[in-house]
Amino acid sequence: MNALFDLSAEDAKARHAQLVKEIRRHDALYYQQDAPELSDAEYDALRRELEQIEADYPALVKADSPTQTVGAAPAKGFKKVHHSTPMLSLSNVFSEEELTDFLERIRRFLKLPEDETIEILAEPKIDGLSCALRYEDRKLVLAATRGDGVEGEDITANVMTIADVPKTLPQDAPEILEVRGEIYMRRDEFVALNAAQERAGEKIFANPRNAAAGSIRQLDSAVTASRNLHFFAYGVGEVSDPQAVATTAESATPLQFYIIQNLKRWGFSVAEKMGVFETLDALMDNYRFILSARADIPYDIDGIVYKVNRLDWQARLGFVSRAPRWATAHKFPAERAVTKLTAIEIQVGRTGALTPVARLESITVGGVVVSNATLHNEDEIARKDIREGDTVVIQRAGDVIPQVVEVLLDKRPADSKPFPYPDHCPVCGSLAIREEGDAIRRCTGGLVCRAQAVERLKHFVSRLAFDIEGLGAKIIEQFYEEELIRSPVDIFTLEARNDTLEPPIREKEGWGELSEKNLFAAINARREMALNRFIYALGIRHIGEATAKRLAATYGSFEALEEVMGKTQDREGAAYGELLNIEDIGPAAADELVAFFAEAHNQEILKGLQAQIRIQPYDTPKSADSPVAGKTLVFTGSLSISRSEAKAQAERLGAKVAGSVSKKTDYVIAGEDAGSKLKKAQELGVTVLTEEEWIALVS
Ligand code: IVH
């Protein structure tokens, strides 16, 4: 069947030209700008129409037609993959003191006696990109990037080209095995690749890590195959038989080191130079040894990773936000470079904080081009007497923002003057003041200040808050300038106002019917919002993601939160006292919250938002049949496990742990020598459990 049979040669030619142009535009949006406007199906429809016309009128086929470029239609990007267990990141230590703290914290958390040895597995931290490999029935079925830790990208086709990655496993490997590790490129291969890229007039990579990432993020796996990539395994995710993965024929005690041994036996490459150490001194010796051998190792390493060897201890230690308590990265010292500081600029943030930023003559530090550095605050500038025009030493450590560590005074120009720190907001001109004890000067303009208003809007739509795709930083700035969006409420009324706008969004430069439609769809998808994200989105100072979650868990619904806030004006009252009782909420955070809810303008915005969206009540994450899910507990006295472990355990079961006893407390768990809290519980008639009763209840 020829659907276009009645298209005249004239029309076909015109439509062909139009389609070629459109497809090219969408290819560019997709591949170069990472900003597709079409769904896969819409894009495919355009291509099919083009193919049909060319089939009917072969004279229209040109070498550069999208139908003629490499093989079939390129796969549109990478599919998303949900990780069955999250891929975590690592905390860092930079010194012997911090390493000591790390080990001490573990000892305290596990309540280990001083003479009990904590075995630590130390392995080099390879600077590449992390990858999860999933084997089912001993066959590689899926490879995924880490992404945000919860969701990554499906890079199976490309990983299939890496020789180090086994495609099948021996019979004794478990049925389901997810191996985690790092994809990397050796330094010599990186140098050779860049030389070849340069000859071909192609992109030069900044460092081996970027080269590895760029090679993996290829839509054409033939390109990936032509690059030399390697993989080393450092751990496991989901496994069908955890015991088999973590033990050996000789020992039934599950250890991290046995995981590595088994992975090696099943054909994976593992890091060289790894070892198990028992003391701080041995760990420090190993650190210095590897640091001195760094240049002889053929790939980039940026530190040493330490992991508690015993897996039962790992399980007890658990996680804090996104990093395990049982592991950390001991980073190598920062790299430094000398450059010229051309200007000091003052940025104004969401909470009005004035932050000085150094603009630098661009320079490469540890393989990354740096053109800005943080100057922290006004005192820091004064203390180091940093001036515009100075030659400075900057340093960069890991992903940390580069810092100015020193001014080279002998290079200072004769006419240089100390930097006059502004006492007015450079954006809105309002007075900028420093409160007692605060290192930061803040603009007092509030929402009158354009910078604060825009930053708050950016925060409101950011990933952990409303997460509205299509309302990026640039668009927020533009729509703010054009007065289309001045408050969060305006985001949700935009669609209704659109047809009265001059011009409507679809007619703005860079927009079209489809992108307009997508924007409204993205906004409308957020008319139901989880309470914790909503609270976080408000951008109240000191109320971060974790604290917002605690508030949501404590009050349950937005109505309840508002009601309590209405009563917190009285600092002596019960409502304020209860607020302070919440973990993580100190007087500073409490005061910010109270002030936020008391402000008339904020109340108006909250009312406006409630008319537009539905804020879902908070569901305490329940371990389905945990008897303490949603309950409030207080631990007191001394327990056989540490207080931190008891708290972490209760929270895993969906309970809230409070610092003091009130009528709202469900259980008080009283260890030995419990004092005033136990007494208060008895007075209030709160159920008191012994540690044994608590263990019986939750196990
Ligand atoms: S363990 C829960 N081991 O470093 C443990 N990570 O900063 C998480 N990395 O995402 C990872 N070498 O990409 C681990 N020997 C090693 C590693 C390693 C490199 C990377 C990995 C991770 C990142 C965390």
Side-chain angles (χ1 to χ4, degrees):
M1 258 290 291
N2 185 344
L4 299 159
F5 195 67
D6 50 7
L7 207 60
S8 73
E10 248 342 75
D11 291 345
K13 195 172 165 199
R15 179 70 185 144
H16 183 269
Q18 203 179 19
L19 282 169
V20 168
K21 208 170 133 202
E22 278 230 6
I23 291 173
R24 290 221 179 101
R25 188 171 81 83
H26 289 297
D27 281 347
L29 279 171
Y30 185 79
Y31 294 111
Q32 285 136 32
Q33 297 160 39
D34 267 351
E37 290 182 2
L38 295 187
S39 69
D40 290 9
E42 288 165 316
Y43 175 85
D44 291 341
L46 291 181
R47 288 195 70 103
R48 271 199 308 278
E49 192 183 344
L50 184 72
E51 285 162 16
Q52 186 66 63
I53 295 181
E54 293 189 351
D56 294 343
Y57 298 96
L60 293 175
V61 182
K62 300 270 152 48
D64 65 350
S65 162
T67 57
Q68 303 304 302
T69 39
V70 235
K76 281 201 74 190
F78 301 98
K79 275 199 316 243
K80 295 266 184 256
V81 176
H82 188 85
H83 297 298
S84 52
T85 51
M87 289 183 80
L88 303 160
S89 58
L90 289 170
S91 59
N92 293 323
V93 297
F94 286 92
S95 63
E96 181 164 350
E97 288 67 47
E98 290 179 7
L99 176 56
T100 311
D101 286 348
F102 169 74
L103 297 171
E104 287 296 304
R105 259 198 315 276
I106 291 173
R107 185 176 296 283
R108 275 200 309 275
F109 190 98
L110 297 174
K111 238 183 166 179
L112 301 177
E114 280 308 316
D115 56 358
E116 173 119 32
T117 310
I118 305 175
E119 279 190 3
I120 298 286
L121 176 71
E123 59 194 28
K125 183 167 188 302
I126 298 194
D127 202 7
L129 62 144
S130 46
C131 176
L133 306 173
R134 188 178 174 88
Y135 293 83
E136 287 175 9
D137 292 330
R138 290 158 279 276
K139 278 193 277 302
L140 177 61
V141 294
L142 183 67
T145 62
R146 178 168 89 169
D148 62 4
V150 176
E151 206 175 56
E153 286 179 325
D154 181 342
I155 51 167
T156 315
N158 292 348
V159 168
M160 285 287 180
T161 71
I162 302 179
D164 277 357
V165 171
K167 313 301 176 297
T168 58
L169 301 180
Q171 271 312 312
D172 64 333
E175 218 165 274
I176 291 177
L177 174 64
E178 198 189 308
V179 176
R180 288 174 175 182
E182 200 84 350
I183 295 175
Y184 66 98
M185 190 180 278
R186 287 203 322 248
R187 269 197 303 275
D188 58 335
E189 295 161 340
F190 157 72
V191 172
L193 171 63
N194 262 356
Q197 293 284 102
E198 194 168 357
R199 280 195 299 278
E202 302 272 347
K203 178 185 160 98
I204 303 292
F205 296 103
N207 53 42
R209 207 202 93 81
N210 285 352
S215 304
I216 273 295
R217 281 195 52 90
Q218 283 291 333
L219 287 166
D220 180 358
S221 35
V223 177
T224 313
S226 73
R227 309 268 168 92
N228 282 304
L229 293 176
H230 304 271
F231 176 83
F232 92 96
Y234 56 64
V236 293
E238 187 186 344
V239 282
S240 53
D241 186 352
Q243 186 71 13
V245 175
T247 54
T248 66
E250 292 83 54
S251 166
T253 312
L255 296 182
Q256 181 74 30
F257 186 57
Y258 293 152
I259 296 182
I260 300 294
Q261 282 190 332
N262 284 321
L263 290 174
K264 199 168 164 185
R265 199 159 56 81
W266 292 326
F268 292 91
S269 305
V270 298
E272 295 162 48
K273 298 195 169 44
M274 62 163 73
V276 175
F277 302 92
E278 300 191 344
T279 62
L280 173 69
D281 288 345
L283 284 170
M284 285 308 297
D285 282 345
N286 173 65
Y287 173 83
R288 284 183 285 262
F289 165 68
I290 294 187
L291 183 58
S292 67
R294 192 177 181 188
D296 306 323
I297 299 176
Y299 39 80
D300 278 357
I301 59 176
D302 57 351
I304 314 282
V305 181
Y306 299 133
K307 296 173 186 166
V308 169
N309 204 14
R310 275 178 60 165
L311 294 192
D312 56 338
W313 285 355
Q314 286 190 6
R316 282 174 58 194
L317 285 157
F319 308 92
V320 231
S321 57
R322 291 177 153 216
R325 281 195 194 84
W326 46 266
T328 197
H330 193 170
K331 290 296 193 75
F332 290 146
E335 306 202 50
R336 294 185 171 196
V338 172
T339 189
K340 192 156 164 194
L341 187 157
T342 50
I344 295 175
E345 275 178 26
I346 308 289
Q347 292 179 344
V348 184
R350 169 165 61 83
T351 57
L354 306 195
T355 317
V357 176
R359 302 282 176 222
L360 308 169
E361 272 177 11
S362 299
I363 186 162
T364 314
V365 195
V368 169
V369 180
V370 168
S371 46
N372 301 309
T374 173
L375 293 170
H376 301 292
N377 55 48
E378 145 175 36
D379 292 347
E380 172 93 353
I381 296 183
R383 192 167 56 78
K384 292 185 182 158
D385 187 19
I386 300 171
R387 305 179 184 188
E388 295 185 326
D390 272 346
T391 300
V392 293
V393 178
I394 58 166
Q395 85 169 22
R396 203 191 128 249
D399 339 325
V400 187
I401 308 170
Q403 302 174 310
V404 173
V405 285
E406 192 190 343
V407 175
L408 300 180
L409 289 177
D410 54 337
K411 299 230 164 69
R412 175 168 279 174
D415 60 350
S416 108
K417 291 191 187 58
F419 180 73
Y421 207 84
D423 52 10
H424 283 78
C425 172
V427 176
C428 71
S430 302
L431 196 64
I433 57 165
R434 265 178 84 168
E435 278 177 22
E436 228 188 274
D438 194 352
I440 292 173
R441 190 174 284 278
R442 285 171 206 276
C443 160
T444 54
L447 285 174
V448 170
C449 175
R450 175 190 171 274
Q452 288 192 51
V454 170
E455 292 308 314
R456 283 199 211 179
L457 283 167
K458 287 185 195 167
H459 174 81
F460 187 86
V461 300
S462 64
R463 201 168 55 82
L464 298 174
F466 269 69
D467 188 22
I468 301 181
E469 221 170 294
L471 270 187
K474 284 268 163 319
I475 307 274
I476 287 284
E477 277 168 25
Q478 183 194 343
F479 285 9
Y480 184 89
E481 283 314 318
E482 295 172 350
E483 299 187 18
L484 297 185
I485 296 180
R486 284 274 157 132
S487 93
V489 183
D490 297 341
I491 295 172
F492 293 98
T493 59
L494 187 61
E495 185 171 10
R497 288 181 285 130
N498 191 33
D499 285 331
T500 66
L501 296 181
E502 199 43 64
I505 291 178
R506 59 185 169 276
E507 284 164 27
K508 284 177 177 299
E509 195 169 327
W511 289 82
E513 297 271 351
L514 187 76
S515 47
E516 180 191 274
K517 192 178 100 196
N518 288 346
L519 173 64
F520 292 143
I523 292 173
N524 291 332
R526 296 292 182 266
R527 286 185 192 266
E528 291 265 325
M529 184 48 56
L531 177 59
N532 55 317
R533 291 172 78 114
F534 182 81
I535 298 172
Y536 173 72
L538 298 176
I540 304 166
R541 216 173 126 203
H542 301 308
I543 310 295
E545 198 200 351
T547 311
K549 207 174 258 175
R550 289 220 195 272
L551 284 166
T554 305
Y555 296 111
S557 71
F558 190 71
E559 291 69 27
L561 173 67
E562 259 193 322
E563 196 192 319
V564 174
M565 288 301 141
K567 298 183 192 150
T568 47
Q569 303 304 328
D570 171 13
R571 296 296 148 104
E572 305 298 317
Y576 188 76
E578 242 165 54
L579 182 60
L580 277 180
N581 248 343
I582 302 175
E583 284 278 324
D584 279 358
I585 302 229
D591 288 350
E592 292 287 343
L593 261 173
V594 173
F596 181 91
F597 279 89
E599 225 259 329
H601 176 81
N602 292 336
Q603 286 174 0
E604 199 181 306
I605 289 182
L606 290 174
K607 216 164 115 210
L609 278 172
Q610 277 166 299
Q612 295 292 330
I613 68 171
R614 211 181 75 81
I615 307 163
Q616 296 155 349
Y618 189 76
D619 268 337
T620 320
K622 291 185 188 46
S623 334
D625 41 18
S626 149
V628 293
K631 299 272 195 267
T632 302
L633 318 176
V634 174
F635 289 101
T636 180
S638 97
L639 307 168
S640 70
I641 55 173
S642 73
R643 191 63 71 77
S644 329
E645 182 170 3
K647 179 162 166 273
Q649 186 187 46
E651 285 174 349
R652 268 201 290 268
L653 294 166
K656 289 174 284 196
V657 179
S660 62
V661 179
S662 77
K663 278 188 306 230
K664 293 212 175 137
T665 312
D666 294 294
Y667 297 110
V668 167
I669 296 99
E672 266 168 54
D673 303 323
S676 61
K677 289 182 192 170
L678 174 60
K679 204 164 142 242
K680 178 136 188 224
Q682 286 159 343
E683 279 164 20
L684 292 172
V686 173
T687 312
V688 177
L689 303 177
T690 62
E691 187 178 355
E692 291 70 42
E693 287 169 326
W694 161 251
I695 292 168
L697 181 69
V698 296
S699 56

